[in-house]
Structure formats: structure tokens, C-alpha cells
């Protein structure tokens, strides 16, 4: 019996093997079971090929009239689907009544409570991807429990080197890292005992449930996470078994008889020395797990998805660099680097499919996520001073805003600087080279013996300026690009912090509220004390995370600035050397 | 009795002390005698001040109706006045019937038979100065025998450094050196025994008269000029007493109770070691003498006149550099450096006014000018092969055209390169510096001890890029400007050569003609032989001059390219050093 399904949204085929379908179009499927997120079938026009599983719903015998409320066939497609299409007003940190008139977004979009400007840029991308529908990506997660909405797609093909440096850098930079995680934008702060806004980060993250004492679970010894006091304040206890993990050049793999292809990255962690192969979708899956599990940890964003040009050298190299940065931040994070799901990701043999699936299921069923995560935290005995915490958090909030602004500025400037070098600077130097060469050609018309040396030297000078023009064009890859990669990663972190601060602020508010309730006789002192103690755990965690952020930031920016300056120095030395060579030619002229 | 005069042209006062007059306006003068080219008087609106003497004609008692034919009061104003306003069609080296319908040019303009593009550029300037009438210059020659038409004026004030590098470089470069000499443009080649076109360079230079045996004069031993044969061909005999002459920073002098001021240059020739003071007008006077005297020698052009901004530092420095280049070409020329008028110019004590005037009169009465100059030439005994000479001259013609094109291109490119460095490059580097500084300011909000070193280093990096931006803006003065000064000087030489070649070609044509006439029995063999012998003298002189040009060219361009590259190397080393300094700050970060 032929299996029928109805298309929930328009899907335009982008790659060979895919077929296009229109919303409400009835398609005939070969099987109900998808293969890595794809179903094979025939559309109403008789074309056979692959359709994304989440774009169709299987029609059972007694299928009712098409209903938009019955979202995608994939249970998780609706998970982040109930988001107003227009996104949230993200003027951060203000209380706001949540709009309850939800509309179904055709393609779910993970909106973040990021600073306004980034949000706007993301929305632009979002609108672009809505319009073109070209955001489908074979690197999509395959099945079951993982968020697999199309998400944000960056600015098209990267095949032209110069095209990388666009004049508008806002959308450029903020699209470098996408966030397909669980945290969603919401404004409501916890001003009532129970926040009715289920989109509040404080609520969603589990922060509220934990503070109110509703979290419960059995914490194994291995899951314990310690916050310790250092000279700089609360810190995550260091990973006693530090390791790093290399990411080698990916190789292109194919499936579906070559109809679909994807890139496979080779990961080699130093503590096992066993190489494992991972696809982008695995990174994406891991990222979603981490965001879900850790409410007050800034999980580094993975590099952007890209619909077209995914196999072009520039994009592959860029994504790999992005993943290396990401991996570096993962392995140096005391908590993230040690968690089970990450260890599973970097160590599980690619050949052992069973073990992989077991680890995957275990991670997806992990109970110590969100509210329960806080149960795993051990803090130093002396509680933190509430006012001191509040002042530190406020200071950090100011810091992140200012840093975000300057990172945006530096990114735009670096982008423009690179663009100018690739275009204008190169052109100017090569025009100078051409003019010298032209003069030497004119001089060659004079065949006097005493003229030959000068002619030769002049021609060489022309070549030197031509070469220097090329040096300018090639230079940004060496120095500006890595700076921009770093900035992109930090833009991701900076986009995470409003949510983290929000959770912390929510907890502090709960403490103040409960103290007031006690004064008014509405709450027992013991209950308020419990809230205070649990808030203290959140405070320790948040401050430890902030401390880690600063330490890694100083390390990263120092290293990157050194690298940048070293590369710049090499560059000017190379130019100098080229000119010295040219000058020497005149000795015999 | 009040002396009345009528203004011949509009004159707009540009400087304090001057008064404006309109064409045909009647002014009252204090005296008929001008002081350095200026008359003091009162215009019809009652304003008292100075008026250029050549702009008015004194009204005698029986003054007829205003007549344009009665040119300027200054006898020499009409000397180059009979030039069609539109200039000549200068499509070089073609025979053309001279337009005899002369119109009186309101301000005389020395038109040159220069390559087309330069001529066009010059005409643009010309038109501009016609329109604005702002071409009056206090550095004007004062009196009597020297051409003192307003001439070509360059592009206005030079007070803004960046403004020097204009987008349109044609008019920029060709206006750097003005030519106020005697040679004038004309096309007619000597195809008849006697060229009726008195504007033919061949005729004007005295070349024709000499070839036809009409030159006569007593040549003193000291006036003898030798052409010798070297391995490279005919050469001017070297100056047995070579010298050079320094030009120091000029000082500002005033006259007319401070109403008029001018710059005085200090010249110190190495062979006398006596410093003499000379004004621009003296250079101008000397230049006119040299052009008149030497028909086939390329007299270097003196730097442009400038109406406004004459006392501004940039202009003073630029003119001084121009005069240094000029002086260098003068002193290294075997013929020019030894001639009486130049020796008088560099050696006559500034304090000995009588000696100066004697030398001046002597130079102006010199009989060995033009046609008679050739009488002073001694050549090697073996005559040159006529065809060989013709081929060499043709080759050089091609060379000058190609060199002129590439010099124009290099000049435009260098100009644009300098402009980009002063504007764009500087801006880009300073924007990078600003972005680093802004990031360091954001980072300073984190007061952790471990952050301070990075913040300091980042701020320092910002300063370094700011400084590098300044380096870029300052650099063109060090390297590009001297190259452009050299190019300007050579553009002057290249503009001279069409005339020189024209004289040579005229002589060759005369030889061919006379040989034909002999064959046809219209001329005696002896007469033809005389023509051939005299043509041989012109050929030797021309080839010696071309030889000298090539040698000096190779010397100049080699030295200038070395200087340019050395400065460029210094520049990039300076940049590198600045970056190394910045990098070091991270060691302690």
C-alpha cells in the first residue's frame, strides 16, 4: 500500500536528488522511516527523489482536513515552533507581557535574547531565509529527538575571496555562528512567585524551578561539579585530566548512491589518541544537548550552517577554523570538557554504531539538565554576599555590552581593512608597478649600453610593486581572518550572556521576594533560607562562568593579537625585502 | 599735471597694495616710470595702489580712440602677442599653412610645439588663466627687454597638503614648469628655399639662416663650443671646470613700504664660493636669454609661476626643489654651464648693481644667439652620414613620444598613489587603531589583575596603528614628491625636443633640396656643399645634445629610483619597528 503524506511547507529542491513540493501537496512515500532526516518518494508531478522528513506529515487512513496546528511529523519540529514569526522585542532586561497570540512559524527559528543589534542582524537573515527557502542543508540532523529546524543561514556562496569582505559586516559577522539551542528569548523577569511566562529564560533554563526547590534527582559522584574560591573569586575547579582535540581537514563523503554528500571531520582528542569521524550534524546535535543541560554556562556557538557552496574550499577551511576555535573553547572549559555527552562525542569510535546510539540515547535522556544541573554543583562553604554578587553581575552586564559594541566595531573595521587590501591597496601598488614597467619599456627604446642596467632595474622595480600588490591581497588570510574568526566566536559568547545574567537576576529577585514575604509573614523563614541557599549556588556558578570567560578572553585576545602583529610584521618585512631586492638591481645600473 | 592712462585689460587685485581696473578704465598715474613693472596711481573709483605697467597705456595729449593694435605700454608685451588665442594645432611635424589672421591675445601666451597632450593641458591652464585673470605675479620681470606676459599659472593655492594630489594630473604636471622662452610653435617645415612662415621654429631659431650661410659674426676663442666623438657618438666636450651651485631656503623681502614682497634665493656656486641673491624674476630672465641663444639645446624649464599662496611654506619648498633640479641640470650641462650669461647669473655679486646691469645689458646684446650660435660650434673633422643622422633623429623622436607617455602615466599614478596614502590609507590604518583602542577601553571595564597587561598592550597597538596611519600620510613627501619633481623637469625637456628635432629636420631638408637643385643645375655644387657642411654642424650639435639628454636621464632616474626605493624601505622598516614595539607589550600581558 502506497504511503501518502502531505507537505506542511513549501520545499524547493536545491541539490540533485531532492524534489520540490508545495504546501499541502500530497506526495507518495516509499517508507515511513526517514534516512538521516530524508524521505524518498514521488511528488504530485511524478518527480521522484528526497524530501526533508520534517516538511511532511504522513496521512493516516482517517486523516482529517489539513490543520496547521498539527505541526510537523517529527515530534521535535514543533519544539521551537511556537515562536512569533516577527521575533521578540529584545530590548533586554525589561519586563514585558508575553504575547500569547502565537502563530505557527513555517520554518521554526530559534530566537535568542541577544543584544538588539545582533538580533536585528539575525532577523534579517531570518527574513532572507524565509523568502528564498534555500536554507535547507544536507548537514541537517537526521532523526528523532534533536531540534532540526532550518535555522539561520549565512550569506550565500563564499567562492569569491574578495566577496568575503562585504561592506555590511553586521549580518556577516552575526551569521557566522548560529545558535540552534534550547534557550529562547523572553523578557519577563520573575516578579511573581511563579512566572506565568513559560518563555522566560529563567523559567526555561530551570533556574526558577531550582530556586523554588522543585528540582530533584540523584547526583552521582562523577557528575559533581565544584566551584572553588581563587584569588580572583569563584572559579570552576580545573579539569584534572586536561586534553585538547585536533580537527583535521574534512573529507567529502556521499550517500544515497552519490546523490547526497557531506563533509566528515577527523577529530583526535589527546587523551585517547583515537581518531573519530564526525559530521556537522553531530556537532549540531551535541551543541543542542549542551545548551539544554547547562543553564549558566556559555556554550560556544558552532559555526554557521551554509546552504550553498558547502564543498567549496574557502567555506570548508573557514568552517574548520570555526570548529577548531569551538573545540578549543570546549576542551578548555572545566565543566563542558568533562561532561559525558562531550566525552562521548570526542571518544566514541565512529565504527561502533551501537555504542554511538547508546551514548546518544543516554545523553538525550539525561536527567541532570536545566534545573537539575544546579543539583550537581558543590560550592565553597561560605555563602556569597548578595549585594556583592548583584554588583558584580551588573558590572559584567556593562562589560559585555561595551565589549559587544567594540567587537562589532573591530569586526567591521577589520572586514573593511581586509577588503581595502584585497581591492584598493592591491590596485594602487600594481598601478605603480605598471607605471614603472611602462617607463622601463619606453627607456628600452634607447639602446645605449649605459642605459641597459637602468632599464633592467626599472622593470624589476615594476615587478616588485606588482608582487607587493599581491602580498596585500593575500595578507588578510594570514592576519585579519583569524582575528575575525575570534571575534565571531566571542560574539557568540556575548550573545549567550544576557540569558545567563537573566537566570542569575531571576534567582536574586526570588531571594528578595522571599525575604519580603518572610517579613510580611507570608512565608516561613526556613523556606526563604532554602531559596537563598539555592540562589547562592546559582551565584557561584554564574560568577565562576564569568571568571572563566575573562580568563579565556585574556588568553585568546593576547594570543590572537600576538599572532596578528607577528603576521603584520612578517608582511612588512616581506615588502621591505622585495624593495631591497629591487634596490640592489640599481647597484649595477 | 596728472598723468592719465587707459587700462588695456581687466586687472583684479590679488594682493594688498594692488588696485583693480577694468578694460578701458581711465586711471591717474603718479609717474610714467614703472618700478619693477608696477605703476602707482588712482583708479576711476578713487582707490590708490599699484597697477601692472603692462596692463595700461599712457594717454598722450593727442590720444586717439582706444586701439587694440597699440598693445601694452611695455615694448615687449607684444613680442609674443601675435599668437592666435586658441593656440596652434600642434599635431607635430606636419607641414601646415600658417594662419595669418592674427588676433591680439589679451594676455600673451607662449605656445610651444609640444606633444599634443601636453599642449592640450597647457591650453586648459591657459583658458583658466584667461577666465580668472588671477595670473598676475609679483615675481614678474621688471623691465625692458624680457618677455613678461602673464603666462601659465598653476592650480591655485597649495596650502592644503592633500590638495596637491589632484585627481586630474595632466594639468597638474604640465603646469609645474612653465616656459616663457622665445621658441614658439609652428608647423611649416622648410620645403621652400626660404620659409615664409616666420613662426617656424627652424626659421625663428636661426637654423635656416645658418644653413643658408646667412649667419655672420666674430667668434671669440672663449665662445668656442666643441663637439667630440665618444664611444657613444657625438658628445659636448665636458666642462673642464665643473661646478655645482646650491640654492638655500629663500627669505622674504619687501618693497614699496612693505606693500609688495618677494622671495630672495641664496645661490652659492662651488667655483667661487660667493653667495649671491637672486629672485625668481632673475631666473626667468636668464631662462629667456638661454632659450634665445641656444637653438638645439634643451634648456630646462624653470618652476611654474604662482599667483596666490606664493609665500606659503609648501609652495616655497616646492619651488626651491624645482630650482635645485633646474640648477643641477644647468651646471651639469657642458654648454649651458659655461655660457657667459649663466656665469654672470651665478657669480655677479648682488651688491654690485652696476656690474649686474652691465652683464645684463651684455647678455641682452649678445650677438652669438640663434643662427650665430652655430658659428661657435667646432665639430670633429669627419662629417656625419646624413642617413644615419636621420635615422637616429627619428629613433629619438619615437623615444621622446614613448617616454612622454610613460612619464605622464607614472606621474598620474604617483600622484594618485600619494593621494591615496594621504587620504585612504591613513584613514584605514587609523580606523584599525581606533577599533583596537575601543576594544581596550571595553576590556578596561574588567578590573581583574590578569587583564591589565592585555589592556595596556591593546591600547598601545591602537596607538601604533594610529601612528602608522600618520606615517602613510607623511610618506609621499619623502618618496613620491621627489619622483614627481623629476618627472616635471623631464616633461619640460620632452616638451623642448619637438622644436630641436624640427630644427634638425629643417636642416636635413635643406641639404636634400640643395642636392636636388644641384642635380637640376639650379645651384652651384659649392653652395650645396656649404649647406651640407653647416647642416653637419647642426647634426653634431643635435646628436651631442641628445647624447647628453640620455646620459643625464640615466643618471637622474637611477639616482631618483634609488632614493625612492630607499625611502620606501625606510618607511616599511619604520612601520615594522612600530609593530614590533607593539608586539613586545604583549610579552608582559
Amino acid at each position: 500500500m502506497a504511503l501518502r503524506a502531505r507537505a506542511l511547507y513549501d520545499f524547493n529542491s536545491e541539490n540533485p536528488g531532492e524534489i520540490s513540493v508545495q504546501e499541502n501537496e500530497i506526495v507518495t512515500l516509499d517508507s515511513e522511516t526517514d534516512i538521516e532526516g530524508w524521505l524518498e518518494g514521488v511528488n504530485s508531478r511524478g518527480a521522484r527523489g528526497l524530501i526533508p522528513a520534517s516538511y511532511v506529515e504522513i496521512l493516516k487512513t482517517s486523516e482529517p482536513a489539513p490543520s496547521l496546528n498539527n505541526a510537523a511529523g517529527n515530534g521535535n519540529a514543533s519544539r521551537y515552533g511556537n515562536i512569533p514569526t516577527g521575533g521578540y522585542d529584545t530590548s533586554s532586561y525589561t519586563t514585558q507581557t508575553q504575547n500569547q497570540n502565537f502563530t505557527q512559524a513555517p520554518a521554526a527559528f530559534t530566537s535568542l535574547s541577544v543584544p538588539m543589534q545582533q538580533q536585528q542582524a539575525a532577523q534579517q537573515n531570518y527574513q532572507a531565509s524565509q523568502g528564498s527557502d534555500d536554507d535547507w542543508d544536507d548537514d541537517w540532523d537526521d532523526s528523532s529527538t534533536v531540534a532540526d529546524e532550518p535555522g539561520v543561514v549565512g550569506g550565500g556562496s563564499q567562492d569569491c575571496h574578495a566577496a568575503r569582505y562585504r561592506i555590511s559586516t553586521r549580518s556577516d559577522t552575526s551569521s557566522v555562528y548560529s545558535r540552534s539551542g534550547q534557550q529562547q528569548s523572553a523578557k519577563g523577569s520573575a516578579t511573581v512567585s511563579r512566572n506565568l511566562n513559560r518563555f522566560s529564560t529563567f523559567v526555561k533554563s530551570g533556574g526558577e524551578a531550582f530556586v523554588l526547590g522543585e528540582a530533584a534527582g540523584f547526583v552521582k559522584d562523577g557528575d559533581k561539579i565544584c566551584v572553588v574560591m581563587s584569588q580572583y573569586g569563584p572559579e570552576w575547579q580545573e579539569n584534572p585530566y586536561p586534553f585538547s582535540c585536533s580537527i583535521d581537514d574534512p573529507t567529502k563523503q556521499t550517500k544515497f548512491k552519490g546523490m547526497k554528500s557531506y563533509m566528515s571531520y577527523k577529530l583526535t582528542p589527546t587523551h585517547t589518541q583515537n581518531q573519530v569521524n564526525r559530521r556537522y550534524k553531530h556537532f549540531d546535535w551535541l551543541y543542542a544537548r549542551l545548551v539544554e543541560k547547562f543553564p549558566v554556562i556559555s556554550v560556544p556557538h558552532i559555526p554557521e550552517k551554509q546552504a550553498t557552496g558547502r564543498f567549496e574550499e574557502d567555506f570548508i577551511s573557514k568552517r574548520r577554523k570555526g570548529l577548531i576555535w569551538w573545540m578549543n573553547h570546549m576542551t578548555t572549559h572545566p565543566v563542558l570538557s568533562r561532561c559525558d555527552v562531550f566525552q562521548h562525542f570526542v571518544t566514541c569510535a565512529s565504527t561502533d554504531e551501537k555504542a554511538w546510539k547508546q551514548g546518544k540515547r543516554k545523553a538525550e535522556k539525561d536527567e541532570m539538565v536545566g534545573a537539575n544541573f544546579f543539583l550537581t554543583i558543590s560550592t565553597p562553604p561560605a555563602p556569597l554576599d548578595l549585594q556583592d554578587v548583584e554588583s558584580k553581575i551588573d558590572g559584567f552586564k556593562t562589560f559585555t555590552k561595551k565589549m559587544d559594541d567594540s567587537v562589532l566595531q573591530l569586526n567591521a573595521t577589520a572586514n573593511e581593512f581586509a577588503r581595502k587590501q584585497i581591492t584598493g591597496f592591491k590596485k594602487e601598488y600594481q598601478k605603480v608597478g605598471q607605471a614603472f614597467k611602462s617607463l622601463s619599456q619606453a627607456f628600452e627604446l634607447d639602446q645605449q649600453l649605459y642605459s641597459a642596467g637602468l632599464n633592467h632595474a626599472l622593470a624589476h622595480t615594476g615587478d616588485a610593486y606588482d608582487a607587493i600588490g599581491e602580498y596585500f591581497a593575500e595578507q588578510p588570510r594570514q592576519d585579519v581572518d583569524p582575528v575575525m574568526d575570534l571575534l565571531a566566536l566571542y560574539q557568540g559568547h556575548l550573545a549567550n550572556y544576557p540569558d545567563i545574567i537573566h537566570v542569575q537576576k531571576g534567582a536574586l529577585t526570588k531571594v528578595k521576594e522571599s525575604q519580603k514575604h518572610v517579613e510580611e509573614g507570608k512565608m516561613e523563614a526556613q523556606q526563604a533560607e532554602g531559596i537563598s541557599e539555592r540562589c547562592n549556588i546559582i551565584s557561584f556558578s554564574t560568577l565562576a562562568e564569568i571568571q572563566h570567560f575573562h580568563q579565556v578572553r585574556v588568553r585568546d585576545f593576547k594570543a590572537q593579537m600576538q599572532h596578528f602583529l607577528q603576521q603584520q610584521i612578517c608582511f612588512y618585512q616581506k615588502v621591505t625585502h622585495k624593495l631591497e631586492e629591487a634596490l640592489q638591481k640599481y647597484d649595477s645600473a
Side-chain angles (χ1 to χ4, degrees), chain A:
Chain A
M1 180 195 124
L3 192 65
R4 279 160 28 101
R6 188 179 59 80
L8 294 165
Y9 326 112
D10 287 351
F11 171 69
N12 296 318
S13 79
E14 282 279 325
N15 298 297
E18 298 169 0
I19 51 170
S20 297
V21 292
Q22 289 192 327
E23 193 180 327
N24 290 325
E25 180 176 340
I26 303 299
V27 294
T28 312
L29 301 178
D30 294 356
S31 157
E32 201 170 343
T33 317
D34 69 271
I35 308 167
E36 303 202 356
W38 294 86
L39 294 165
E40 194 168 358
V42 179
N43 69 9
S44 62
R45 290 171 303 288
R48 164 168 290 276
L50 301 170
I51 316 159
S54 59
Y55 272 52
V56 296
E57 59 177 348
I58 312 286
L59 297 176
K60 304 297 177 196
T61 17
S62 62
E63 170 65 20
S67 157
L68 278 176
N69 292 327
N70 186 2
N74 182 315
N76 282 78
S78 64
R79 185 168 191 168
Y80 307 118
N82 285 342
I83 314 251
T85 326
Y88 296 106
D89 176 357
T90 52
S91 41
S92 304
Y93 311 109
T94 58
T95 309
Q96 180 194 318
T97 311
Q98 182 62 43
N99 175 9
Q100 298 288 334
N101 298 320
F102 298 128
T103 56
Q104 182 90 28
F109 173 63
T110 307
S111 177
L112 297 171
S113 178
V114 294
M116 199 59 190
Q117 55 211 6
Q118 295 202 350
Q119 182 71 5
Q120 284 171 339
Q123 282 179 7
Q124 280 165 11
N125 281 320
Y126 176 46
Q127 283 154 8
S129 68
Q130 285 270 314
S132 65
D133 237 350
D134 62 353
D135 48 4
W136 191 260
D137 186 346
D138 176 56
D139 267 348
W140 221 231
D141 198 5
D142 44 357
S143 57
S144 63
T145 60
V146 183
D148 58 358
E149 61 281 19
V152 178
V153 171
S157 168
Q158 301 280 346
D159 50 350
C160 172
H161 183 42
R164 174 168 180 183
Y165 307 100
R166 283 182 291 259
I167 291 170
S168 163
T169 52
R170 287 204 163 175
S171 59
D172 190 17
T173 59
S174 54
S175 70
V176 172
Y177 285 76
S178 69
R179 177 161 180 166
S180 56
Q182 157 162 327
Q183 296 181 1
Q184 294 178 11
S185 171
K187 292 286 87 49
S189 66
T191 50
V192 291
S193 285
R194 175 80 57 175
N195 195 321
L196 293 174
N197 176 7
R198 67 190 183 94
F199 292 97
S200 154
T201 308
F202 182 46
V203 177
K204 286 191 296 97
S205 68
E208 186 188 53
F210 173 70
V211 169
L212 297 181
E214 290 162 1
F218 174 71
V219 181
K220 287 173 288 180
D221 270 0
D223 286 345
K224 280 262 177 248
I225 294 165
C226 290
V227 177
V228 296
M229 279 305 275
S230 79
Q231 54 172 320
Y232 306 115
E235 261 181 21
W236 298 117
Q237 191 172 49
E238 278 182 27
N239 183 355
Y241 311 107
F243 69 100
S244 61
C245 181
S246 64
I247 299 181
D248 290 324
D249 273 330
T251 51
K252 193 172 178 176
Q253 311 280 337
T254 55
K255 57 182 179 178
F256 299 130
K257 302 161 200 156
M259 282 199 296
K260 295 297 246 181
S261 35
Y262 58 91
M263 302 305 297
S264 177
Y265 298 86
K266 290 181 182 58
L267 276 55
T268 314
T270 52
H271 61 331
T272 64
Q273 289 291 342
N274 289 328
Q275 180 190 294
V276 298
N277 295 323
R278 296 289 179 257
R279 291 179 52 187
Y280 181 78
K281 65 166 191 173
H282 299 134
F283 284 92
D284 203 38
W285 170 84
L286 169 64
Y287 175 76
R289 300 281 72 68
L290 296 168
V291 168
E292 185 183 33
K293 184 172 172 68
F294 300 110
V296 291
I297 288 177
S298 174
V299 180
H301 293 198
I302 52 173
E304 64 176 330
K305 286 199 179 65
Q306 176 149 331
T308 55
R310 281 182 295 131
F311 305 118
E312 280 157 20
E313 215 176 294
D314 253 32
F315 173 71
I316 291 166
S317 150
K318 195 182 162 197
R319 173 177 275 182
R320 181 176 157 248
K321 279 183 208 148
L323 289 175
I324 290 172
W325 272 114
W326 180 87
M327 183 57 88
N328 175 275
H329 269 225
M330 286 298 299
T331 55
T332 51
H333 195 289
V335 179
L336 295 175
S337 64
R338 290 154 79 182
C339 78
D340 287 349
V341 62
F342 181 60
Q343 285 293 335
H344 176 62
F345 178 82
V346 293
T347 60
C348 181
S350 321
T351 47
D352 191 347
E353 205 158 319
K354 199 180 159 195
W356 172 256
K357 287 209 169 164
Q358 269 182 350
K360 190 164 178 284
R361 258 195 301 277
K362 189 180 156 225
E364 285 159 5
K365 285 180 183 163
D366 186 1
E367 290 195 340
M368 305 314 280
V369 302
N372 287 357
F373 160 73
F374 292 113
L375 296 174
T376 64
I377 308 284
S378 294
T379 67
L384 293 163
D385 175 70
L386 210 67
Q387 283 214 306
D388 190 39
V389 170
E390 196 158 19
S391 134
K392 276 184 178 157
I393 295 291
D394 285 342
F396 185 66
K397 201 173 98 177
T398 310
F399 174 88
T400 53
K401 280 180 176 177
K402 186 113 193 250
M403 177 171 170
D404 194 55
D405 286 348
S406 1
V407 162
L408 201 72
Q409 185 196 343
L410 180 55
N411 196 78
T413 306
N415 186 76
E416 184 60 12
F417 190 55
R419 204 181 64 84
K420 282 274 165 61
Q421 288 186 63
I422 289 169
T423 56
F425 284 38
K426 174 183 172 184
K427 202 179 75 188
E428 288 307 318
Y429 280 84
Q430 295 197 334
K431 269 162 64 187
V432 170
Q434 195 48 54
F436 283 139
K437 275 193 264 190
S438 158
L439 187 64
S440 105
Q441 280 159 14
F443 281 3
E444 266 162 27
L445 289 182
D446 173 38
Q447 290 294 311
Q448 294 284 23
L449 198 65
Y450 55 72
S451 186
L454 174 67
N455 299 348
H456 178 70
L458 255 179
H460 197 276
T461 305
D463 289 340
Y465 276 84
D466 207 56
I468 292 169
E470 280 302 330
Y471 291 171
F472 267 103
E474 287 158 12
Q475 191 52 22
R477 282 173 184 268
Q478 311 303 322
D479 49 33
V480 174
D481 281 9
V483 168
M484 287 176 68
D485 289 340
L486 177 77
L487 296 180
L489 186 84
Y490 273 85
Q491 283 182 313
H493 279 305
L494 292 168
N496 290 341
Y497 274 104
D499 279 348
I500 292 170
I501 291 168
H502 190 70
V503 171
Q504 171 66 52
K505 287 255 169 183
L508 289 172
T509 307
K510 284 278 176 268
V511 172
K512 287 179 195 164
E513 248 178 75
S514 63
Q515 284 168 352
K516 205 175 155 203
H517 288 336
V518 169
E519 280 167 26
E520 291 167 356
K522 292 177 189 168
M523 189 187 272
E524 283 179 31
Q526 199 187 355
Q527 196 186 343
E529 205 167 300
I531 287 173
S532 180
E533 275 168 18
R534 288 184 292 271
C535 174
N536 188 54
I537 289 174
I538 294 183
S539 299
F540 264 114
S541 308
T542 308
L543 292 182
E545 182 61 14
I546 289 173
Q547 184 74 247
H548 177 73
F549 173 80
H550 279 315
Q551 285 173 345
V552 173
R553 172 182 62 81
V554 170
R555 174 201 71 178
D556 283 351
F557 278 85
K558 178 184 170 183
Q560 200 50 61
M561 287 304 296
Q562 284 176 319
H563 176 264
F564 176 77
L565 288 170
Q566 278 155 358
Q567 291 298 318
Q568 283 266 292
I569 289 165
C570 281
F571 170 69
Y572 292 108
Q573 282 172 340
K574 212 163 73 171
V575 170
T576 305
H577 182 68
K578 198 82 200 167
L579 293 171
E580 281 167 345
E581 258 179 32
L583 178 59
Q584 278 165 19
K585 301 284 173 188
Y586 290 86
D587 293 346
S588 54

